[in-house]
């Protein structure tokens, strides 16, 4: 399991849609560690939590296999490769400026990830949309998320209610198995113990930094800001990026708008959750406010603190809630509600697929905002022909030649790098 999640951590490009697709391919289809229903139940549960849902899903998979030790290993390994790479890139960026070679390398990665996201859409759609009401819920979720600015949690609640109303009895016999009795005393003791240890792990480094350096030191300010962000990031990283960017640039002055966009670009093209852009922000904050250390040391400490307070809560939520997932799928009403949310997830992946395609295949995307309408559309004349060709190559080798994820991404990365270095992209 450790080796597998280390590999997943190194290959988890493409934001939540690509990462969820990658884990599904490896954990469900290849390893068969989870069946389809349990994987989707866990995904539905993670979509309801604040924080990066893909990392939480990885943590749940580890918990399912080896309980607490597995959860910690899978959750940390999912983040660690991307965090180490982002840390190196943030240091190089602060020291040397823009990284043309890195941008060229990851130019082709995006095209490969686009094919993986489409594959996830097809796989999840085939399994989740088994009844007309499920198709209707998926279509409605896509329309709402694609055309309006209605927040994702509201869509989730509506999908759950629709599923409970229209999908009960349509999920197969597994949903009608009654769960056994709950040992409430033991459950309460476990919850209190896990919450206490998790809170100590989460807040301990922040408290130590405050005692050693004072409440106004950059390490403490960074920890407080990103801890708050970790508990309000419902709906994924995109839901809070605007708020985080405004606060980091305008309120705290840690970096410039251009640097924020560069950090987001690096996060989008490196493995790991998109929210790793917080580590880039944390490093630059420490780099520019180094006292009483040097710039590199404070940058490293600030990046480590940012990553710790961002991802520790996500692991804690799973350790607290994972036992519930095991039971929810066996209660008919809750199972039907989760089936509705699963259908909505298909709409979410479709929306993310289009968003991803717009930003990969086109150089310009225009925003339309009028009343309740909130729509992003590509500018047709800004089509990037090289990116389009790379996406078609990725789709061919993935769907027709059945290449692995690593092989597909490696091929498009090499082709994209060559195209950028040759000046044709």
């Amino acid at each position: 399991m450790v080796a597998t999640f280390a590999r997943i951590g190194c290959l988890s490009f493409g934001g939540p849609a690509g990462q969820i697709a990658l884990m599904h391919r490896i954990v469900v289809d290849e390893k068969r560690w989870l069946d389809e229903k349990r994987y989707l139940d866990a995904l539905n549960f993670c979509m309801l939590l604040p924080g990066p849902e893909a990392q939480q899903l990885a943590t749940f998979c580890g918990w399912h296999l080896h309980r607490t030790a597995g959860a910690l290993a899978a959750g940390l390994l999912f983040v660690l490769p991307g965090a180490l790479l982002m840390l190196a890139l943030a240091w190089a960026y602060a020291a040397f400026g823009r990284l043309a070679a890195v941008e060229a390398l990851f130019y082709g990665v995006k095209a490969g990830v686009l094919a993986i996201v489409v594959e996830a859409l097809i796989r999840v759609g085939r399994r989740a949309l088994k009844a007309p009401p499920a198709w209707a819920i998926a279509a409605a979720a896509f329309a709402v998320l694609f055309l309006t600015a209605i927040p994702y949690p509201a869509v989730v609640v509506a999908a759950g209610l629709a599923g409970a109303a229209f999908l009960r009895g349509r999920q197969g016999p597994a949903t009608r198995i009654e769960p056994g009795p709950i040992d409430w005393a033991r459950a309460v003791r476990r919850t209190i113990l896990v919450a206490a240890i998790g809170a100590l792990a989460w807040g301990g480094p922040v408290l130590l930094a405050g005692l050693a350096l004072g409440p106004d030191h950059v390490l403490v300010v960074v920890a407080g800001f990103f801890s708050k962000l970790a508990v309000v990031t419902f709906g994924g990283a995109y839901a809070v990026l605007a708020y985080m960017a405004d606060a980091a640039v305008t309120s705290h002055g840690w970096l410039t708008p251009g640097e924020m966009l560069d950090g987001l670009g690096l996060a989008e093209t490196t493995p790991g959750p998109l929210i790793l852009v917080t580590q880039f922000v944390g490093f630059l904050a420490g780099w520019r406010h180094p006292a009483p250390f040097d710039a590199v040391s404070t940058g490293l400490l600030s990046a480590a603190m940012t990553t710790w307070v961002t991802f520790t809560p996500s692991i804690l939520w799973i350790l607290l809630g994972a036992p519930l997932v095991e039971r929810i799928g066996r209660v008919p009403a809750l199972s039907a509600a989760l089936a509705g949310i699963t259908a909505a997830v298909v709409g979410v992946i479709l929306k993310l697929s289009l968003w991803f395609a717009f930003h990969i295949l086109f150089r310009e995307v225009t925003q339309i905002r009028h009343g309740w309408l909130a729509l992003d559309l590509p500018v047709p004349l800004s089509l990037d022909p090289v990116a389009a060709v790379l996406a078609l190559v990725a789709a061919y080798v993935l769907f027709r030649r059945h290449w692995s994820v690593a092989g597909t991404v490696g091929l498009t990365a090499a082709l994209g790098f060559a195209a950028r270095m040759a000046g044709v992209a």
Side-chain angles (χ1 to χ4, degrees):
M1 190 208 76
V2 167
T4 297
F5 275 96
R7 179 162 67 100
I8 290 173
C10 292
L11 295 175
S12 57
F13 295 93
Q19 292 153 7
I20 291 166
L22 174 68
M23 273 190 288
H24 183 279
R25 185 183 180 112
I26 294 176
V27 174
V28 178
D29 293 336
E30 296 179 5
K31 299 292 185 180
R32 300 189 184 280
W33 285 338
L34 274 75
D35 59 32
E36 185 73 30
K37 186 177 186 306
R38 182 162 290 170
Y39 184 85
L40 292 177
D41 284 348
L43 174 58
N44 295 334
F45 177 74
C46 294
M47 297 289 272
L48 297 173
L49 300 174
E53 60 268 30
Q55 188 227 6
Q56 292 163 351
L57 183 58
T59 305
F60 175 86
C61 292
W63 184 89
H64 174 75
L65 294 170
H66 298 288
R67 291 307 190 251
T68 300
L72 294 174
L76 293 173
L77 286 170
F78 184 82
V79 173
L80 190 59
L84 292 175
L85 180 56
M86 179 60 77
L87 184 61
L89 293 175
W91 174 80
Y93 184 94
F96 306 113
R98 295 181 65 89
L99 305 170
V102 173
E103 291 178 351
L105 179 64
F106 290 115
Y107 172 74
V109 168
K110 294 180 181 180
V113 170
L114 178 57
I116 296 170
V117 172
V118 173
E119 182 189 45
L121 175 65
I122 295 171
R123 286 176 177 267
V124 175
R126 283 174 178 170
R127 292 169 171 85
L129 306 181
K130 296 180 178 179
W135 281 92
I137 292 171
F142 167 73
V144 169
L145 293 171
F146 186 71
L147 297 174
T148 76
I150 293 176
Y152 176 76
V155 176
V156 167
V157 172
L161 293 175
F166 300 110
L167 291 175
R168 186 165 180 173
R170 295 175 178 263
Q171 304 308 305
T175 63
R176 295 192 288 272
I177 298 174
E178 292 298 328
I182 299 176
D183 185 344
W184 288 106
R186 180 181 179 185
V188 170
R189 286 196 302 270
R190 178 193 178 279
T191 299
I192 292 174
L193 179 63
V194 171
I197 294 174
L200 181 62
W202 184 4
V206 184
L207 180 61
L208 290 176
L211 292 174
L213 301 170
D216 295 327
H217 191 269
V218 65
L219 289 181
V220 182
V221 177
V222 161
F225 175 71
F226 288 111
S227 291
K228 179 174 67 174
L229 204 68
V231 299
V232 299
T233 52
F234 292 95
Y238 293 112
V240 295
L241 281 177
Y243 166 72
M244 183 192 72
D246 181 65
V249 172
T250 305
S251 302
H252 296 287
W254 290 330
L255 69 175
T256 67
E259 290 169 339
M260 185 71 220
L261 290 173
D262 288 341
L264 181 57
L266 290 176
E268 286 182 327
T269 53
T270 51
L274 178 61
I275 202 66
L276 274 173
V277 67
T278 59
Q279 188 184 51
F280 179 86
V281 175
F283 183 92
L284 289 186
W287 177 277
R288 284 168 181 158
H289 301 84
F293 312 111
D294 61 272
V296 175
S297 297
T298 308
L300 292 174
L301 289 171
S302 183
M305 180 71 81
T306 300
T307 304
W308 183 258
V309 301
T310 298
F311 292 103
T312 299
S314 291
I315 296 177
L316 176 58
W317 308 147
I318 296 300
L319 291 176
L320 287 171
L324 298 176
V325 179
E326 300 285 316
R327 299 179 57 83
I328 286 173
R330 297 179 300 202
V331 179
L334 293 178
S335 179
L338 284 179
I341 297 172
T342 300
V345 168
V346 177
V348 173
I349 297 176
L350 176 57
K351 189 258 186 183
L352 285 175
S353 299
L354 288 178
W355 187 93
F356 207 50
F358 291 167
H359 287 79
I360 292 172
L361 303 180
F362 297 87
R363 297 186 179 93
E364 296 180 34
V365 177
T366 184
Q367 294 183 331
I368 300 173
R369 300 291 185 268
H370 182 70
W372 57 268
L373 184 67
L375 180 62
D376 293 342
L377 290 175
V379 177
L381 294 179
S382 69
L383 176 68
D384 183 342
V386 176
V389 170
L390 290 175
L392 290 174
V393 170
Y396 173 75
V397 299
L398 188 65
F399 289 105
R400 297 298 300 272
R401 308 301 299 178
H402 305 293
W403 280 31
S404 67
V405 170
T408 302
V409 172
L411 175 64
T412 56
L415 293 175
F417 182 83
R420 274 289 178 91
M421 292 294 99
V424 298

